[in-house]
Amino acid sequence: MEKIFRTEIAGRPLVVKTGNIAQFANGSVLIQYGDTSVLSTVTASAAPRDGIDFFPLSVDYEEKMYAVGKIPGGFLKREGRPGEKAILVSRVIDRPIRPLFPKDLRNDCVVNNLVMSVDQDCSPEITAMLGTSIAIAISDIPWKGPVGGVVLGLIDGKTIINPTEEQRAVSDMYVTLAGTATKICMVEAGANEVPDDVMLNAIAEGHEEIKKIVAFINSIVAEIGKPKFEYASCDVPEDVFAAVKEFGWDKMRAAVLSDDKSVRDANVAALQEEVAAMLEEKEEGLSSWAGDAIYKLEKKVVRDYLFREHVRVDGRKLDQIRPLSCDVDVLPRVHGSALFQRGQTQVMNVCTLAPLAEAQKLEGLDNETTKRYIHHYNFPGYSVGEAKPTRSPGRREIGHGALAERSLIPVLPSEEEFPYAIRTVSEITMSNGSTSQGSVCASTLSLMAAGVPIKRPVAGISSGLIVNEENDEDFLVFMDIQGIEDFFGDMDFKVAGTTEGITSIQVDIKVEGLSLDIIKAAFEMTHKGRLQIINDIILPKIAAPRAELSPYAPRIVSMQIPVDKIREVIGSGGKVINKIIADTGADININDDGQLFICTPDLEKAAKAQAIIKGIISDPEVGQEFDGVVTRLMDFGAFVEFLPGKEGLVHISKLAWNRVEKVEDVVKEGDTVKVKLIEIDSQGRLNLSIRDTLPKPEGYVEEEPRRREGRPNRERRNGDRPNRERRNFNNDNGDDAPAKGRRIEF
């Protein structure tokens, strides 16, 4: 039976319909925010999946092009694999809901969000997040939700809840925030160097709106929510873990105390074999719990070190960053390169510059069609000592690449300042915690080495969290988490920014939520860390972006041409522009607004192309001289192309200072000649002269005009005009003979 629930968010209606569509799913809603509609469903398997030690949750966000009235491109004309935007939205929805499921649940759970119509003022991402939360909350799947979500903008220092498309275009930040009635569950932010305190205040304001949304969802659950189903726990039996803890606590403390990841891993693997033998001796078959038990024991030991003793397994203080180092120009011939290392996390980054025509083209549900800056992140198996083949990037790689990309966009120069498409690639060569923030630092270094005039260096760092299991108001925040602290801690709070403010945030948590006190402590910790990296490591290595580009990078010269001259520069069928490209070797691209880019590694070629184009778009003036090419010969003169697409006539009398009997005696087709524009007649025809570019012979006397053969030389009286109309071209073939060539008029 269909039920409809209504509320408002940021002054726009939110309508939830359930009980009619997708009734076989455990939970389903058709949610509409403004004119944005999303079908959100959640389905769980009836039985747990065998042989796994994790909760198998899958979150999908499907973009259907019909939602914005488009037909997909490509040969098949149907949606294929999810685009980057869809994958990133899936991750944003996944992060706040995952910690609220039981950790010992092993039933497959699939969340699907089908975007069916889009109102650009009402974010489909937030609509899908709310639909997901409602669908799970009203289902019979065990869950500690619901969560609510909003987007935060910042305009003139004021926080905007769920900004419209017009507001997003001028906002200083775009923050996706999710939370429960009491805690923050997820923060995903891109910002234009927003100060930490401003960001914290915005998060607090956003949480107040989230509380209202959660109350609305709870009212739906109270009316139509299903009882949660029972499931068999897959956790280690208490008596088994008690035996493992008694046997291995002190041994585990000794095993993990090392600053070398490979040593720790070897020690823990050896201890696991001892535990398996002990359990098998205790009771046949108990050894099957050894892996899960040793993982649980290692987690408790590491957390105990941190929380109880304020000691980290590698001996660092809570606010201490691992040893830092960096270098630039580590690869020859590339446009920019850098190597950044923090402890045993190592990132190689390479920067490539290209014409704006090579910017990435996008096909999605929003109005963004191109992306000028691209950051890609690769995480091979060897970076963690695993023997696995290279595959196409997964969701994690795409997400980490997007995070680093978002971190650097605010400091990039505008297209007018630096007319290049930019790609940076982070190759993770060693991984032991927070490679995404290492990618931010490495990207900054390679961009500066490549000569990209960024406003300021950007650095990224992450902080971790341990919360007292008995009192969640008792917590410990620490800086620069390594892999083992990420696995067993409660939070990975990543913040990137400059000395002036935050450019990105991404928060992954394993607890049910974060208080504002925890977020404030994380901001203070990461602020200190990023300033240390910028001032102590990045700036001493490279103080400012290089003034010159790599000799292997293309040089791009930009110029603005009148829109009504674009056709002249391109020419019929591209004839003019293709000739310029052939003559100069430069690539040329023109935008519809008249912005033109000349790209070539050789600045002389760029200057030559620019000079030709300037000649085309400017109206030639009488008295100007040009270098031209003879294109056609006539009895009465020669046509010369003195600018691409522009020809003029050099009359036979203007070929030389001496008398010329035949045009062929002076010039031939293909000859390069210097000409002077001596006349633009009333019909716009261009008359040129070669002789006027040459020194006049000493004592030269102008000859009388030639007499036409067979015609008397009649003198004209003042004011007399010839009794015939002017022909298109002067010719020596008689008044009634047609001209042998056709003048091109401009």
Side-chain angles (χ1 to χ4, degrees):
M1 184 176 179
E2 186 178 60
K3 292 281 188 177
I4 300 177
F5 304 89
R6 291 182 172 86
T7 188
E8 279 193 358
I9 304 176
R12 277 156 275 167
L14 181 77
V15 180
V16 177
K17 298 179 182 180
T18 186
N20 184 20
I21 299 176
Q23 297 180 45
F24 290 154
N26 293 62
S28 66
V29 296
L30 180 64
I31 183 169
Q32 184 171 319
Y33 184 37
D35 285 339
T36 294
S37 299
V38 179
L39 176 62
S40 298
T41 61
V42 59
T43 310
S45 62
R49 192 199 303 182
D50 292 332
I52 60 171
D53 59 358
F54 61 91
F55 170 49
L57 171 66
S58 175
V59 177
D60 292 319
Y61 175 86
E62 296 186 56
E63 295 184 320
K64 298 297 184 180
M65 297 305 292
Y66 57 68
V68 288
K70 295 180 182 178
I71 295 176
F75 179 76
L76 296 177
K77 295 296 181 184
R78 69 176 298 160
E79 293 83 2
R81 58 173 293 179
E84 182 178 296
K85 180 70 176 292
I87 289 171
L88 297 177
V89 174
S90 296
R91 285 169 56 85
V92 166
I93 296 172
D94 183 296
R95 282 203 294 275
I97 67 172
R98 184 178 290 271
L100 301 178
F101 285 97
K103 292 179 174 56
D104 57 347
L105 180 64
R106 297 294 179 265
N107 299 57
D108 284 284
C109 185
V110 176
V111 171
N112 183 276
N113 290 283
L114 184 63
V115 182
M116 307 188 78
S117 70
V118 173
D119 172 356
Q120 298 296 347
D121 285 338
C122 299
S123 164
E125 296 90 345
I126 284 297
T127 308
M129 181 184 289
L130 297 180
T132 295
S133 178
I134 298 169
I136 302 173
I138 65 175
S139 76
D140 59 347
I141 302 171
W143 193 54
K144 296 180 181 178
V147 298
V150 293
V151 169
L152 306 176
L154 184 68
I155 301 176
D156 297 330
K158 182 181 178 181
T159 303
I160 307 297
I161 304 295
N162 289 358
T164 63
E165 183 180 29
E166 183 179 349
Q167 290 172 324
R168 293 195 295 269
V170 296
S171 175
D172 282 327
M173 68 182 190
Y174 187 92
V175 180
T176 306
L177 186 71
T180 65
T182 57
K183 300 287 181 66
I184 299 298
C185 296
M186 190 275 302
V187 184
E188 180 92 6
N192 186 21
E193 298 182 285
V194 172
D196 295 46
D197 58 338
V198 174
M199 181 67 74
L200 184 63
N201 289 337
I203 290 173
E205 290 184 45
H207 192 220
E208 293 303 312
E209 190 69 27
I210 285 173
K211 291 177 183 177
K212 301 175 188 176
I213 296 171
V214 170
F216 168 67
I217 298 174
N218 279 329
S219 69
I220 299 175
V221 175
E223 185 171 342
I224 63 171
K226 301 176 184 177
K228 302 302 183 182
F229 64 68
E230 299 290 333
Y231 67 95
S233 173
C234 295
D235 201 3
V236 181
E238 292 185 8
D239 58 333
V240 173
F241 182 70
V244 171
K245 183 177 179 182
E246 182 181 357
F247 174 81
W249 183 269
D250 292 336
K251 293 182 179 182
M252 181 62 78
R253 285 173 65 94
V256 299
L257 273 181
S258 174
D259 61 356
D260 191 320
K261 178 180 181 294
S262 59
V263 171
R264 284 199 305 269
D265 291 346
N267 291 343
V268 172
L271 179 57
Q272 181 172 329
E273 292 183 5
E274 290 185 48
V275 167
M278 181 272 295
L279 289 175
E280 192 66 23
E281 183 178 341
K282 188 178 182 68
E283 183 180 331
E284 186 177 352
L286 282 185
S287 59
S288 62
W289 290 106
D292 291 344
I294 211 74
Y295 178 89
K296 190 172 181 179
L297 179 64
E298 186 180 6
K299 179 176 181 178
K300 286 188 174 295
V301 167
V302 171
R303 291 173 66 90
D304 186 74
Y305 265 127
L306 275 164
F307 193 75
R308 306 296 178 190
E309 303 179 31
H310 288 197
V311 176
R312 304 173 76 167
V313 295
D314 57 3
R316 281 183 294 146
K317 298 177 182 178
L318 296 179
D319 63 349
Q320 184 179 352
I321 301 177
R322 289 169 290 172
L324 295 162
S325 65
C326 68
D327 201 1
V328 294
D329 304 326
V330 292
L331 298 175
R333 290 190 173 265
V334 300
H335 301 165
S337 62
L339 183 69
F340 177 83
Q341 185 160 348
R342 185 191 333 101
Q344 291 181 310
T345 292
Q346 186 183 72
V347 185
M348 175 87 74
N349 189 274
V350 182
C351 177
T352 305
L353 306 177
L356 285 170
E358 295 191 31
Q360 183 178 0
K361 293 179 175 60
L362 304 175
E363 184 180 57
L365 300 185
D366 53 25
N367 291 326
E368 188 179 16
T369 57
T370 60
K371 185 166 68 171
R372 172 206 182 196
Y373 174 58
I374 308 162
H375 182 280
H376 289 151
Y377 168 104
N378 297 314
F379 191 86
Y382 63 75
S383 66
V384 288
E386 294 181 0
K388 64 178 184 180
T390 301
R391 294 286 185 263
S392 58
R395 292 192 172 195
R396 178 180 179 276
E397 286 87 348
I398 291 172
H400 281 11
L403 177 60
E405 182 178 290
R406 191 184 312 122
S407 304
L408 288 153
I409 286 175
V411 300
L412 293 176
S414 66
E415 290 184 9
E416 291 72 26
E417 296 173 280
F418 193 72
Y420 287 85
I422 308 165
R423 181 183 185 233
T424 52
V425 179
S426 290
E427 306 288 358
I428 309 304
T429 51
M430 285 201 303
S431 173
N432 187 18
S434 200
T435 53
S436 64
Q437 299 308 284
S439 296
V440 173
C441 301
S443 297
T444 291
L445 288 161
S446 72
L447 285 166
M448 294 173 73
V452 180
I454 62 174
K455 297 175 185 176
R456 277 172 287 277
V458 180
I461 194 72
S462 63
S463 65
L465 171 73
I466 299 291
V467 176
N468 188 338
E469 295 177 2
E470 299 174 359
N471 177 14
D472 61 6
E473 297 299 321
D474 187 14
F475 63 87
L476 182 71
V477 175
F478 48 94
M479 181 145 62
D480 181 25
I481 61 173
Q482 57 181 314
I484 192 171
E485 295 165 340
D486 187 7
F487 297 149
F488 302 135
D490 295 325
M491 173 182 77
D492 182 3
F493 199 109
K494 308 166 190 172
V495 182
T498 67
T499 55
E500 304 302 309
I502 293 169
T503 58
S504 76
I505 303 173
Q506 188 178 90
V507 180
D508 294 323
I509 63 171
K510 300 181 181 71
V511 290
E512 294 178 11
L514 308 176
S515 66
L516 286 176
D517 288 339
I518 292 175
I519 295 173
K520 181 179 180 181
F523 277 169
E524 292 172 353
M525 190 75 74
T526 54
H527 180 85
K528 175 185 175 183
R530 74 172 186 266
L531 293 186
Q532 180 182 338
I533 295 171
I534 291 171
N535 295 324
D536 296 352
I537 301 298
I538 294 178
L539 291 179
K541 174 57 64 175
I542 182 167
R546 295 258 170 80
E548 295 291 331
L549 301 182
S550 161
Y552 303 105
R555 267 56 178 177
I556 297 179
V557 176
S558 64
M559 57 188 296
Q560 189 71 36
I561 66 174
V563 174
D564 60 356
K565 296 288 186 180
I566 293 177
R567 178 179 294 181
E568 293 184 33
V569 174
I570 295 175
S572 176
K575 179 181 178 181
V576 174
I577 197 168
N578 287 334
K579 186 175 188 305
I580 302 172
I581 292 171
D583 291 345
T584 63
D587 289 331
I588 301 172
N589 295 287
I590 309 175
N591 293 339
D592 292 339
D593 61 359
Q595 194 172 24
L596 182 145
F597 301 98
I598 303 168
C599 176
T600 172
D602 190 335
L603 285 176
E604 290 185 5
K605 292 180 179 179
K608 181 179 178 182
Q610 189 176 28
I612 294 171
I613 293 168
K614 284 182 177 178
I616 295 173
I617 64 174
S618 61
D619 295 323
E621 297 179 0
V622 172
Q624 284 185 286
E625 295 186 0
F626 305 91
D627 290 321
V629 176
V630 178
T631 56
R632 289 178 292 151
L633 301 182
M634 300 292 173
D635 292 342
F636 49 82
F639 284 101
V640 174
E641 185 179 39
F642 61 96
L643 289 172
K646 289 187 178 181
E647 281 187 339
L649 174 67
V650 180
H651 191 267
I652 190 170
S653 63
K654 301 297 182 181
L655 289 172
W657 288 106
N658 58 296
R659 183 182 180 87
V660 177
E661 296 296 336
K662 292 183 178 180
V663 175
E664 294 87 342
D665 294 339
V666 180
V667 293
K668 297 180 178 61
E669 285 189 16
D671 284 355
T672 299
V673 294
K674 184 176 283 297
V675 295
K676 184 176 183 178
L677 180 60
I678 58 174
E679 180 188 18
I680 304 175
D681 69 15
S682 59
Q683 297 183 43
R685 295 175 297 192
L686 309 173
N687 293 317
L688 307 173
S689 172
I690 293 177
R691 77 172 194 175
D692 287 298
T693 66
L694 305 172
K696 182 185 290 189
E698 188 175 347
Y700 174 81
V701 177
E702 189 76 43
E703 294 184 0
E704 291 185 5
R706 302 181 187 182
R707 288 188 300 169
R708 291 182 173 84
E709 295 180 6
R711 306 283 290 182
N713 185 14
R714 296 181 297 176
E715 295 183 1
R716 297 179 187 170
R717 295 184 178 90
N718 290 338
D720 286 350
R721 293 182 179 274
N723 58 358
R724 62 183 177 85
E725 294 182 0
R726 182 179 179 184
R727 299 286 179 176
N728 278 343
F729 302 101
N730 291 330
N731 63 75
D732 295 322
N733 299 316
D735 289 342
D736 298 326
K740 293 184 178 181
R742 183 167 178 261
R743 282 289 292 274
I744 298 177
E745 298 184 7
F746 298 88

